[in-house]
Amino acid sequence: MMTFHISTMQGCRLIPCLSSSLRHFSISSALAVKSPTEIPKKPNTPWVNFYVKNLPTFKKSYPDLPTTEVMRKVSHEWAKVPEQDKSKLKTLFQKEKETYAAKMAKVPEELIENVKAVKKTKKIERQNTQEKKELKDLLASLNKPKRPLSAYLLFCQDIRPRLTADGLVGTEIVRKMAVEWKQANTRNKELFEKKNEELVSKYVKELERWSKKMHEEGRNEEIVMAQSKVAKMRKTADEGKNAEIAKAPSKDTKTPIKVVKMRKSV
């Protein structure tokens, strides 16, 4: 039998523990006021708190159900909570909202705008990463030929086993590979450059065959659409970064000198 983190009055069917739930909902009100250099955390609604606290219990009881189905079960249990209990939780939530509003009133507008800008940038970055992943997965599922390694990476691939056997790890291997490539004679480098040229030639031919196959199977539109999404997100990310750079004060900016014209003496 599952135990829910919500209260019940006498005679109610749900598991008792209202005092614990009330403490959970009102805890933010008891915390010390944050410094105005920080953005206060917006309080969760009673339903959100109920969901967050009880989700682990439901997942444990229904391990094979998808999250959407588990969420429906949590929502169903929330509907069973007596209105009297919900009313108390809503009252506490309203007090938390008032405390939150009072704290936000003390936060400088500039700080709020900066935080919003950071959140927006992070959101764009997440979307950009997701779009790239979807494009990569799509091309992989369509067996697009992979671009061959450069001459330097082929060289690194060749000497890595020896360096690993010597006991080098992580950045030590990376540094050692760079040093050995720099010190390698021209003849040795030419061997890897020639191998790269051969692989590139093979890759170009395979890519042509693959492109022709995609055209014949009618997959080009799907690929172009995915590529357009990535390009659009990249452009949005770049515009956001440029906007932040433009807002930032320049270190080289100097206060302009006011030139005062002198009247000629008569």
Side-chain angles (χ1 to χ4, degrees):
M1 183 178 180
M2 290 186 293
T3 301
F4 306 112
H5 296 270
I6 191 64
S7 64
T8 55
M9 303 300 288
Q10 292 182 354
C12 293
R13 291 175 294 173
L14 294 180
I15 305 301
C17 208
L18 179 57
S19 59
S20 174
S21 294
L22 296 181
R23 285 197 300 272
H24 173 74
F25 286 112
S26 61
I27 189 170
S28 63
S29 300
L31 295 176
V33 177
K34 291 184 177 180
S35 165
T37 59
E38 299 177 0
I39 297 294
K41 185 179 179 181
K42 193 172 184 178
N44 290 330
T45 64
W47 152 245
V48 171
N49 278 324
F50 179 85
Y51 174 75
V52 171
K53 285 177 71 69
N54 290 286
L55 183 61
T57 304
F58 277 82
K59 279 190 172 182
K60 186 177 181 180
S61 300
Y62 305 100
D64 299 327
L65 282 183
T67 303
T68 51
E69 290 299 321
V70 175
M71 187 174 182
R72 285 195 186 96
K73 288 187 174 294
V74 179
S75 180
H76 182 66
E77 290 301 327
W78 172 250
K80 295 179 182 179
V81 177
E83 286 301 322
Q84 186 177 359
D85 293 351
K86 287 182 179 179
S87 178
K88 292 181 180 180
L89 298 176
K90 289 176 182 177
T91 300
L92 289 172
F93 172 62
Q94 189 61 38
K95 290 180 179 179
E96 288 191 343
K97 282 179 65 178
E98 292 171 1
T99 302
Y100 168 76
K103 290 178 180 179
M104 284 297 294
K106 298 178 181 179
V107 179
E109 188 66 28
E110 184 180 356
L111 178 58
I112 296 175
E113 292 301 320
N114 288 341
V115 170
K116 287 181 180 179
V118 170
K119 286 183 178 180
K120 183 178 180 181
T121 300
K122 288 183 178 180
K123 182 180 179 180
I124 292 173
E125 289 175 351
R126 287 195 300 271
Q127 292 175 335
N128 192 20
T129 301
Q130 181 62 27
E131 296 293 355
K132 286 180 179 179
K133 183 180 182 301
E134 290 180 3
L135 175 59
K136 183 179 179 181
D137 292 345
L138 172 63
L139 296 178
S141 68
L142 297 175
N143 298 316
K144 181 182 179 180
K146 294 183 178 180
R147 187 180 297 275
L149 299 177
S150 64
Y152 172 66
L153 291 180
L154 289 171
F155 171 80
C156 293
Q157 189 180 62
D158 184 65
I159 68 171
R160 178 179 284 274
R162 171 171 59 81
L163 299 180
T164 302
D166 291 341
L168 298 181
V169 294
T171 55
E172 294 175 338
I173 293 178
V174 176
R175 285 195 293 266
K176 185 63 175 175
M177 289 189 297
V179 170
E180 291 201 14
W181 175 255
K182 187 176 181 180
Q183 295 176 347
N185 57 49
T186 303
R187 187 171 180 276
N188 195 17
K189 287 184 177 181
E190 285 177 350
L191 292 175
F192 290 98
E193 288 169 354
K194 184 178 179 181
K195 186 176 181 180
N196 168 258
E197 290 173 0
E198 292 172 354
L199 291 173
V200 168
S201 178
K202 181 182 177 182
Y203 164 74
V204 170
K205 293 177 182 178
E206 290 177 347
L207 187 61
E208 288 177 356
R209 288 195 293 269
W210 179 82
S211 299
K212 183 179 179 181
K213 181 182 178 182
M214 292 300 101
H215 176 71
E216 292 172 350
E217 294 180 358
R219 306 302 296 267
N220 279 349
E221 185 177 351
E222 183 181 4
I223 296 170
V224 170
M225 186 177 296
Q227 290 174 333
S228 298
K229 287 182 179 179
V230 172
K232 183 179 180 180
M233 289 307 306
R234 186 186 297 118
K235 182 180 179 182
T236 302
D238 290 341
E239 288 175 349
K241 290 178 181 178
N242 291 336
E244 287 301 312
I245 293 173
K247 288 181 181 178
S250 175
K251 294 181 180 180
D252 298 330
T253 303
K254 297 181 179 179
T255 304
I257 300 174
K258 187 175 181 180
V259 178
V260 180
K261 294 183 179 181
M262 303 297 292
R263 290 184 179 180
K264 292 182 180 180
S265 55
V266 180

